[in-house]
Amino acid sequence: PDPVEAPYTSLLSAFRPQTKEGAGGVGLIAEVLPKEDAAKALEEALRDETGFADTHPSLRDRLKALGKEPRLPEPSAQSAAEAFLGSHLTPLSAQMDAEWRERITPMWRERYQSAQEERARLASLEEKAAGVPLTAEEAWERANLTEELSGEEAAVPLYREILDRGDATAFRAVAAFSVGRLLLDKMDPAGITYLEQAMSEDSDATASALQILYNFHKKNGDEDSAKAVYNRALRHADVADEAEEERQTFISKRYLPHGLTPEQINAIKTQIAEFSDAGEAYLVRKELAHFPEKPLYVLGVTLAKSWKRLNREKDSTNLTNALSAGITTLPGEAFIVVLSGTNAGLKKRLQKVEAALIYQKGK
């Protein structure tokens, strides 16, 4: 429940070789980093290339600009803090420890309480799972909590179970991403298939999945595969930009039927009915060239008794704002448009779409 006492003071010795006295005399109990690991880390870092999206040159390019060869530095007998701060180092570290504890304690205790609640929730889900099958939502929650509280090893089979369920469509992509991420963290190439599955089912996973794949191939020293993934990421970024531009407006060459269930439509109608200024409502989908699996809806609403209104423009703006805040049952991105003024002509186009009229005031 309380934070550690002295994080800054601990850093003074954390990265130094430490010794202890025992039966055999003084012996080394910790090394900063074994030389073979340090050499491997340097080798991996030198494989990185400066890309278009990088804010800084790669290590290799920096060394080339300096006219220096890469090398592992010898352990330093004196830290930079010791060299620059001298006798002020110890009291300054103690002061920073105290300030850190004062600042972090409230957040630390809040997170501690949250963690206890998460542990209790996980225990409850485990107990339920031992007796009856969990819902898809509960299975996803259990897998997430298990990874956070019990580690990756315990979480992977739970994520895989979600992929095997027939009722967990909403969680398939993110479960596949989780399995792929965790396997590649262990340098297990089986994770590639799972990340490819995640990207095929949800385009939102693509950028992150490609970054993980790129890092995996780099660490493996597979430059050809890494370059292929990098080029793929560039192409995806271009498509994502075009998709974002496409979603900036509700104007479309063609509108499609909304494709929602009667239950979903009834939920939307119930919310629209709460607004006395709403006359009719038309719901369609915008035809998209990019990522059509993520629908973009257009909800067009007319002003009730608009012919009686002295200030239609102001009333339209007020209704648009009210509907935007009050309609929460649309299952995805949506534009809410009041069909008056410059948007009045849109009504005729929406009326031509099958089943677009979903609400009429008083009916």
Side-chain angles (χ1 to χ4, degrees):
D2 295 308
V4 294
E5 283 293 313
Y8 289 97
T9 300
S10 299
L11 285 174
L12 300 181
S13 59
F15 298 110
R16 290 183 176 281
Q18 298 177 36
T19 59
K20 68 175 181 179
E21 291 191 18
V26 177
L28 191 68
I29 64 169
E31 290 187 6
V32 177
L33 186 67
K35 283 193 174 182
E36 59 271 18
D37 290 347
K40 183 178 180 181
L42 177 59
E43 181 183 345
E44 290 178 1
L46 290 171
R47 292 196 197 111
D48 285 338
E49 298 178 6
T50 305
F52 297 116
D54 291 332
T55 57
H56 296 71
S58 66
L59 174 61
R60 186 172 59 187
D61 287 343
R62 294 187 197 203
L63 291 173
K64 182 179 179 181
L66 292 169
K68 299 291 184 180
E69 291 296 322
R71 64 177 178 82
L72 291 174
E74 293 299 321
S76 175
Q78 186 182 44
S79 71
E82 291 167 333
F84 288 115
L85 301 176
S87 62
H88 298 288
L89 178 56
T90 299
L92 179 59
S93 299
Q95 177 185 335
M96 293 176 71
D97 286 337
E99 291 177 356
W100 183 84
R101 285 195 304 272
E102 181 179 359
R103 185 176 69 253
I104 207 69
T105 293
M107 292 181 285
W108 188 289
R109 289 177 177 168
E110 182 180 341
R111 181 68 190 96
Y112 175 83
Q113 180 59 37
S114 176
Q116 304 318 300
E117 293 170 1
E118 289 172 354
R119 292 183 187 281
R121 174 59 178 164
L122 179 58
S124 174
L125 290 170
E126 296 285 8
E127 182 179 358
K128 180 178 179 180
V132 297
L134 299 177
T135 66
E137 291 79 4
E138 289 172 333
W140 172 247
E141 184 182 7
R142 178 193 182 193
N144 268 289
L145 289 173
T146 297
E147 180 181 355
E148 182 173 348
L149 300 173
S150 303
E152 300 174 358
E153 289 280 355
V156 168
L158 298 181
Y159 286 128
R160 280 184 165 140
E161 285 180 14
I162 293 172
L163 292 173
D164 294 334
R165 295 179 63 126
D167 62 344
T169 304
F171 302 100
R172 283 183 57 81
V174 69
F177 181 89
S178 297
V179 175
R181 167 177 57 83
L182 296 177
L183 290 179
L184 291 187
D185 277 349
K186 299 177 181 178
M187 301 305 292
D188 183 345
I192 295 174
T193 301
Y194 288 97
L195 288 186
E196 292 291 351
Q197 177 183 345
M199 290 186 282
S200 68
E201 296 192 10
D202 188 345
S203 57
D204 285 348
T206 302
S208 296
L210 290 177
Q211 181 66 61
I212 293 171
L213 284 173
Y214 176 81
N215 292 338
F216 171 76
H217 291 310
K218 274 289 188 179
K219 287 182 179 179
N220 262 348
D222 187 348
E223 294 298 325
D224 290 340
S225 295
K227 183 169 288 188
V229 171
Y230 182 79
N231 290 332
R232 185 177 170 187
L234 289 179
R235 293 193 298 271
H236 172 75
D238 289 339
V239 172
D241 287 343
E242 293 171 6
E244 182 65 23
E245 184 176 351
E246 185 180 39
R247 291 171 180 268
Q248 292 300 312
T249 176
F250 59 85
I251 303 300
S252 180
K253 292 181 179 179
R254 182 172 174 234
Y255 294 101
L256 306 174
H258 54 71
L260 300 184
T261 65
E263 292 77 15
Q264 289 173 308
I265 293 298
N266 285 334
I268 297 169
K269 287 170 60 176
T270 299
Q271 290 192 327
I272 295 174
E274 296 177 3
F275 299 91
S276 59
D277 282 347
E280 297 177 335
Y282 299 85
L283 182 64
V284 298
R285 280 187 298 129
K286 179 178 178 178
E287 185 176 47
L288 299 170
H290 303 294
F291 311 137
E293 73 278 5
K294 293 190 173 297
L296 177 62
Y297 299 99
V298 178
L299 178 63
V301 182
T302 63
L303 275 169
K305 299 181 180 179
S306 62
W307 55 274
K308 283 187 174 182
R309 297 176 182 273
L310 298 177
N311 195 339
R312 295 182 193 176
E313 184 175 347
K314 181 179 179 181
D315 290 345
S316 294
T317 299
N318 290 339
L319 180 58
T320 300
N321 293 337
L323 290 169
S324 297
I327 305 300
T328 60
T329 48
L330 283 165
E333 293 181 77
F335 281 100
I336 297 179
V337 184
V338 174
L339 303 173
S340 65
T342 57
N343 296 323
L346 181 60
K347 178 179 176 180
K348 290 184 179 180
R349 295 190 61 196
L350 300 185
Q351 287 175 323
K352 295 178 181 179
V353 181
E354 181 183 355
L357 179 63
I358 64 168
Y359 173 82
Q360 287 180 292
K361 187 177 179 66
K363 292 186 180 181

